[in-house]
Amino acid sequence: MRDFHQPGRSAVFAENGMCATSHPLAAQTAIDILKRGGNAMDAAVAGAVLLGICEPQMAGLGGDCFVLFSPAGTDDVHGFNGSGRAAAGASAQALRKSGFAAVPIHSADAVTIPGSVDAFCTLAADWGKLGLDALLAPAIQYAENGVPVAPRVAFDWQEASQFLQGAGRTFYLNNGQVPKVGEVFRNPTQADVLRLIAKNGRDAFYSGEIAEDMVATLQAIGGQHDLDDFADTRGTATHPISATYKGVELLEHPPNGQGATAMLLLNVLSHFDISSMDPNGFERAHIEAEATKLAYDARNRILADTDHTTHLERMLSTDVAAELASLISRQQAMPSAPALTEAIHKDTVYITVVDRDRMSVSLIYSIFHGFGSGIASEKFGVLFHNRGAGFSLTDGHPNELAGGKRPMHTIIPGMLRQGGRVTMPFGVMGGAYQPCGHARFISNMVDFGMDPQSAIDTPRCFADAGVLRTERGYSARTKQALSDLGHILEEPHTPIGGAQAIHIDDKGVLTGASDFRKDGCAIGY
């Protein structure tokens, strides 16, 4: 139980349904959908689409999503990969010949075909109850009438606005200025796009005037995209992969997501007596940092689009985890493993919903960098993500850029089962941090007995790009001890990631947790 003398958040308890996400308007919209007779999938889709209006620097119709969900009455977990593919004409060789060592982040070359709209439409049709008209209506209303800008959103907007270009500045600034906290942001052209999707489904986005606008914009700045690339876009139903940490089963998306990294990290950590350590002390932070370096090095070598990933079984092997654990010294930090590219970033939204019948949805949605590529379509203002920056340009690499291929993705929704029963949909935002965040969140609960809210609230650190990024919550003594072990410490400008979770107990009570690092909340009824 938290200390009520100190600032903090209480968990939220309810029985009929719950949503936890990074913006209150989206959480409230999801609950409204549940009260109207929609199920968890309806609520998650409605809330996710609205997040693209409330947090346009993080997500939008020009982005990708991944979803894990458990239908009512079962403990089965299904997956849906809503990430798009590179244009058929995309070529790593062409970029190498132009002198690039990595995909240029804010260029048309970084724009893969957005997959989220297809995913939302498909999941609503196959697993929802209310239909697109009802699910998109709240986002249409808010896009038309406006949303007051929340504090964390305003902070991120200011940080990322420099990357907006052309029509992106027209549609995502208020008269050329970054919106301030409490200032209303409107996006009526997004309302137009959503009305067309509500009327004609996914085809309204992937063909016709919206697709023509997107293709013309990208081609005008050198993109290889054509109308067939958009028309051919389809999401993929997937079967989750899983691993067990001290009796708790973690389910993740298979590649092209990086969920296997979290599993490898937990398998490495299982070789250490984490529960005997101070949860906020230097020893735990050191072991976690060293395991992170090793797990991420494996990720960088192995993970790619499903058809191109090699040796996934090695990442999931407990024998490999034991070998890696033996490389960790308790007395000395090792050099950092190499980053995949400079493109690993943090801008993502997450929403989880559980309904009265205990259908649970774990949905993560992103345009990658702040405001994605910074490129928006000229007529409708669809802001394109830059997920293609997650490709490698190394000749022969499993994740090498190629036409029709999906890049390695950082965004990963999570789901937990215990004793065969689904107990928690959860997600940790934060780009490359996400596997480390999944492992730390689970370890906080399993090794230290924390409730989900406390597990989210604890300070975070992340070994990345040669430094150990440590939030302000760590004590000076802990930071000095880590420095003495050879870690190069850096306090990040922004907090590390964000998280949302809903625990489903066996007595019918839902417990929601929401990260103070974001503007959002958990709401139940």
Side-chain angles (χ1 to χ4, degrees), residues 55 134 276 308 375 416 418 485:
E55 302 182 69
S276 69
H308 300 270
I375 304 164
L416 299 182
Q418 195 163 6
L485 289 172

Side-chain angles (χ1 to χ4, degrees), residues 40-109:
M41 187 64 76
D42 291 317
V45 169
V49 174
L50 179 54
L51 286 171
I53 307 298
C54 296
E55 302 182 69
Q57 84 287 5
M58 292 279 182
L61 301 179
D64 282 347
C65 71
F66 289 82
V67 187
L68 293 175
F69 61 98
S70 179
T74 81
D75 290 298
D76 298 333
V77 177
H78 303 261
F80 195 89
N81 183 332
S83 67
R85 301 176 183 275
S91 167
Q93 184 179 11
L95 288 177
R96 289 195 296 266
K97 284 184 177 180
S98 297
F100 292 105
V103 177
I105 293 172
H106 298 108
S107 71
D109 293 308

Side-chain angles (χ1 to χ4, degrees), residues 9 12 18-31 43-52 54-55 59 348-354 361-365 425-427 429 453 456 498-502 512-524:
R9 291 187 175 191
V12 176
M18 184 167 287
C19 174
T21 192
S22 53
H23 198 285
L25 294 181
Q28 185 61 62
T29 291
I31 295 299
V45 169
V49 174
L50 179 54
L51 286 171
C54 296
E55 302 182 69
T348 302
V349 297
Y350 174 81
I351 184 168
T352 179
V353 183
V354 178
V361 177
S362 180
L363 188 157
I364 201 158
Y365 177 34
F426 77 98
M429 297 160 275
Q453 187 65 57
I456 287 172
Q500 315 287 337
I502 301 173
S514 180
D515 205 323
F516 68 88
R517 297 168 180 87
K518 299 286 185 177
D519 295 309
C521 59
I523 302 177

Side-chain angles (χ1 to χ4, degrees), residues 405-422:
K405 190 175 178 180
R406 286 169 163 152
M408 195 280 283
H409 256 266
T410 56
I411 58 175
I412 50 174
M415 191 84 78
L416 299 182
R417 278 194 303 218
Q418 195 163 6
R421 187 177 68 84
V422 170

